[in-house]
Amino acid sequence: MSRTLAVFAAALGGGLAGMQAPINSRLGRTVGSIQAATFSFLVGTIALLVIASLASGGLGSLGRVGRVPWWALVGGLCGAVYVTVALLAVRTLGASGVTVAIVAGQLTIAVAIDRFGLFGLAKHHIDASRIAGLVLVLIGVVLVVRR
Protein backbone atom coordinates (compact mmCIF):
# COMPACT_ATOMS: atom_id res chain seq x y z
CA MET A 1 0.00 0.00 0.00
CA SER A 2 1.34 3.42 -0.88
CA ARG A 3 1.92 6.01 1.83
CA THR A 4 -0.85 8.23 0.41
CA LEU A 5 -3.36 5.40 0.30
CA ALA A 6 -2.36 4.37 3.82
CA VAL A 7 -3.06 7.91 5.09
CA PHE A 8 -6.47 7.98 3.42
CA ALA A 9 -7.34 4.49 4.70
CA ALA A 10 -6.28 5.44 8.22
CA ALA A 11 -8.30 8.66 8.03
CA LEU A 12 -11.34 6.66 6.91
CA GLY A 13 -10.82 4.25 9.80
CA GLY A 14 -10.49 7.20 12.16
CA GLY A 15 -13.70 8.70 10.85
CA LEU A 16 -15.54 5.43 11.40
CA ALA A 17 -14.05 5.15 14.90
CA GLY A 18 -15.29 8.69 15.60
CA MET A 19 -18.81 7.53 14.74
CA GLN A 20 -18.54 4.33 16.75
CA ALA A 21 -18.76 5.79 20.26
CA PRO A 22 -21.96 7.81 19.76
CA ILE A 23 -23.60 4.95 17.85
CA ASN A 24 -22.70 2.44 20.57
CA SER A 25 -23.71 4.91 23.28
CA ARG A 26 -27.18 5.17 21.77
CA LEU A 27 -27.43 1.39 21.69
CA GLY A 28 -26.19 1.31 25.29
CA ARG A 29 -29.01 3.56 26.51
CA THR A 30 -31.45 0.86 25.45
CA VAL A 31 -29.62 -2.40 26.13
CA GLY A 32 -26.94 -1.41 28.69
CA SER A 33 -23.33 -0.32 28.19
CA ILE A 34 -21.56 -3.66 28.46
CA GLN A 35 -24.29 -5.29 26.41
CA ALA A 36 -23.89 -2.64 23.71
CA ALA A 37 -20.12 -3.20 23.61
CA THR A 38 -20.76 -6.95 23.38
CA PHE A 39 -23.21 -6.52 20.52
CA SER A 40 -20.81 -4.17 18.74
CA PHE A 41 -18.09 -6.81 18.88
CA LEU A 42 -20.54 -9.50 17.78
CA VAL A 43 -21.48 -7.55 14.66
CA GLY A 44 -17.80 -6.84 13.94
CA THR A 45 -16.88 -10.49 14.51
CA ILE A 46 -19.56 -11.70 12.11
CA ALA A 47 -18.43 -9.20 9.47
CA LEU A 48 -14.80 -10.25 9.86
CA LEU A 49 -15.68 -13.96 9.73
CA VAL A 50 -17.44 -13.41 6.41
CA ILE A 51 -14.57 -11.31 5.00
CA ALA A 52 -11.87 -13.70 6.28
CA SER A 53 -13.67 -16.72 4.88
CA LEU A 54 -13.70 -15.07 1.45
CA ALA A 55 -10.11 -13.82 1.64
CA SER A 56 -7.11 -15.72 0.35
CA GLY A 57 -6.43 -18.62 2.71
CA GLY A 58 -9.87 -18.45 4.31
CA LEU A 59 -10.14 -19.25 8.00
CA GLY A 60 -7.61 -22.10 7.87
CA SER A 61 -4.67 -19.97 8.98
CA LEU A 62 -6.38 -19.34 12.32
CA GLY A 63 -5.08 -22.77 13.29
CA ARG A 64 -1.64 -21.17 13.65
CA VAL A 65 -2.77 -18.67 16.30
CA GLY A 66 -1.01 -20.70 19.00
CA ARG A 67 2.36 -19.93 17.39
CA VAL A 68 2.37 -16.22 18.26
CA PRO A 69 3.66 -14.54 21.42
CA TRP A 70 1.08 -14.19 24.21
CA TRP A 71 0.83 -10.44 23.76
CA ALA A 72 -0.30 -10.89 20.15
CA LEU A 73 -3.51 -12.46 21.49
CA VAL A 74 -4.75 -9.51 23.57
CA GLY A 75 -5.63 -7.10 20.74
CA GLY A 76 -9.30 -7.99 21.06
CA LEU A 77 -9.16 -7.23 24.78
CA CYS A 78 -7.66 -3.82 24.00
CA GLY A 79 -10.48 -3.25 21.51
CA ALA A 80 -13.13 -4.30 24.02
CA VAL A 81 -11.80 -1.86 26.61
CA TYR A 82 -11.61 0.89 23.97
CA VAL A 83 -15.19 0.37 22.78
CA THR A 84 -16.60 0.21 26.31
CA VAL A 85 -14.70 3.26 27.58
CA ALA A 86 -15.56 5.25 24.45
CA LEU A 87 -19.28 4.53 24.64
CA LEU A 88 -19.31 5.53 28.32
CA ALA A 89 -17.08 8.62 28.00
CA VAL A 90 -18.93 10.01 24.96
CA ARG A 91 -21.92 10.74 27.20
CA THR A 92 -19.79 13.13 29.26
CA LEU A 93 -17.26 14.45 26.76
CA GLY A 94 -19.29 14.36 23.54
CA ALA A 95 -18.00 12.91 20.28
CA SER A 96 -15.24 15.50 19.82
CA GLY A 97 -14.04 15.27 23.42
CA VAL A 98 -13.84 11.49 23.50
CA THR A 99 -12.18 11.43 20.07
CA VAL A 100 -9.45 13.93 20.97
CA ALA A 101 -8.77 12.14 24.27
CA ILE A 102 -8.52 8.80 22.45
CA VAL A 103 -6.20 10.27 19.84
CA ALA A 104 -4.00 11.71 22.60
CA GLY A 105 -3.79 8.33 24.27
CA GLN A 106 -3.10 6.59 20.97
CA LEU A 107 -0.38 9.03 19.97
CA THR A 108 1.30 8.91 23.38
CA ILE A 109 1.53 5.12 23.44
CA ALA A 110 2.43 5.00 19.73
CA VAL A 111 5.45 7.27 20.29
CA ALA A 112 6.61 4.99 23.11
CA ILE A 113 6.04 1.87 20.97
CA ASP A 114 8.03 3.42 18.12
CA ARG A 115 10.80 4.62 20.44
CA PHE A 116 11.40 1.19 21.96
CA GLY A 117 10.46 -0.91 18.93
CA LEU A 118 7.79 -2.78 20.85
CA PHE A 119 5.59 -5.52 19.38
CA GLY A 120 8.01 -6.27 16.58
CA LEU A 121 8.06 -2.77 15.06
CA ALA A 122 11.20 -0.94 14.00
CA LYS A 123 12.59 1.62 16.43
CA HIS A 124 12.08 5.32 15.67
CA HIS A 125 13.82 8.07 17.61
CA ILE A 126 11.79 10.65 19.48
CA ASP A 127 12.71 14.00 18.03
CA ALA A 128 11.52 17.56 18.56
CA SER A 129 8.75 17.23 15.96
CA ARG A 130 7.25 14.19 17.72
CA ILE A 131 7.41 15.94 21.08
CA ALA A 132 5.80 19.04 19.53
CA GLY A 133 3.06 16.84 18.03
CA LEU A 134 2.36 15.29 21.43
CA VAL A 135 2.25 18.68 23.12
CA LEU A 136 -0.10 20.08 20.47
CA VAL A 137 -2.45 17.10 20.80
CA LEU A 138 -2.47 17.50 24.59
CA ILE A 139 -3.24 21.20 24.18
CA GLY A 140 -6.05 20.12 21.82
CA VAL A 141 -7.46 17.85 24.54
CA VAL A 142 -7.54 20.75 27.00
CA LEU A 143 -9.16 23.09 24.46
CA VAL A 144 -11.80 20.61 23.34
CA VAL A 145 -12.87 19.20 26.72
CA ARG A 146 -12.68 22.38 28.85
CA ARG A 147 -15.87 24.07 29.92
Side-chain angles (χ1 to χ4, degrees), residues 92-136:
T92 303
L93 300 176
S96 59
V98 78
T99 300
V100 74
I102 287 169
V103 168
Q106 288 174 332
L107 184 59
T108 301
I109 195 66
V111 168
I113 290 168
D114 282 349
R115 168 62 180 93
F116 297 107
L118 302 176
F119 309 120
L121 296 179
K123 290 183 180 182
H124 296 274
H125 295 290
I126 298 177
D127 57 12
S129 66
R130 288 183 185 235
I131 297 297
L134 282 171
V135 169
L136 290 171

Side-chain angles (χ1 to χ4, degrees), residues 89-94 97 141-147:
V90 75
R91 297 172 188 166
T92 303
L93 300 176
V141 171
V142 171
L143 293 174
V144 171
V145 303
R146 70 184 169 96
R147 294 215 170 207

